[in-house]
């Protein structure tokens, strides 16, 4: 995993950057990773449009949250996600931004998610397990979108 060593863990990046990485055809971790050509931009918009099918949105969300790209949501992916969404945006001043969660809170949330969602007990969520959970989330399709009006 590219962020497994806490000493090497970069500060959380906004999900917008991660979203561009998911749709980018550039080599992972290259200087141009996350750059989108026009077709990739259109694909991203289509997946996040209000009219996109629920399964397309779920697959996009899964890819977005699978930070290490191993095809599963691991405890590390969930921790990274929590840090990303709970770290307020800030200027690129070089100062680390502080996560709003304490480590014990992150651990508690990840433990609860795994306990409630990891059906096969292998300590990671497959896409099937993830989609089963999202099927029960009211309003997922209306919230997981970009609406340009």
């Amino acid at each position: 995993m590219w962020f497994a060593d806490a000493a090497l863990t970069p500060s959380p990046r906004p999900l917008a950057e991660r979203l561009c990485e998911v749709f980018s055809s550039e080599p992972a971790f290259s200087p141009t990773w996350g750059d989108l050509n026009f077709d990739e931009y259109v694909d991203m918009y289509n997946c996040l449009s209000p009219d996109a099918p629920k399964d397309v949105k779920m697959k996009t969300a899964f890819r977005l949250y699978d930070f290490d790209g191993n095809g599963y949501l691991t405890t590390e992916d969930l921790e990274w996600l929590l840090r990303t969404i709970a770290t307020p945006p800030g200027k690129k001043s070089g100062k680390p931004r502080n996560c709003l969660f304490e480590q014990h809170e992150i651990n508690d949330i990840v433990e609860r998610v795994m306990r409630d969602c990891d059906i096969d007990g292998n300590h990671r969520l497959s896409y099937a397990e993830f989609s089963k959970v999202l099927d029960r989330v009211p309003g997922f399709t209306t919230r997981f979108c970009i609406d340009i009006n």
Side-chain angles (χ1 to χ4, degrees), residues 45-114:
Y45 179 77
N46 283 334
C47 290
L48 297 173
S49 76
D51 298 327
K54 187 176 187 176
D55 66 314
V56 170
K57 290 178 177 286
M58 287 192 295
K59 287 176 185 170
T60 302
F62 187 83
R63 290 174 51 208
L64 181 65
Y65 304 152
D66 182 13
F67 287 89
D68 59 12
N70 68 354
Y72 294 94
L73 298 185
T74 61
T75 56
E76 291 86 3
D77 290 323
L78 296 176
E79 286 183 24
W80 192 251
L81 175 61
L82 289 169
R83 287 187 194 293
T84 299
I85 62 175
T87 301
K91 295 180 182 178
K92 294 183 179 183
S93 62
K95 288 193 223 176
R97 296 168 297 165
N98 293 327
C99 179
L100 300 176
F101 289 133
E102 299 291 331
Q103 184 61 45
H104 70 90
E105 294 171 312
I106 291 172
N107 294 344
D108 290 346
I109 294 168
V110 169
E111 180 183 321
R112 173 77 185 258
V113 167
M114 286 298 181

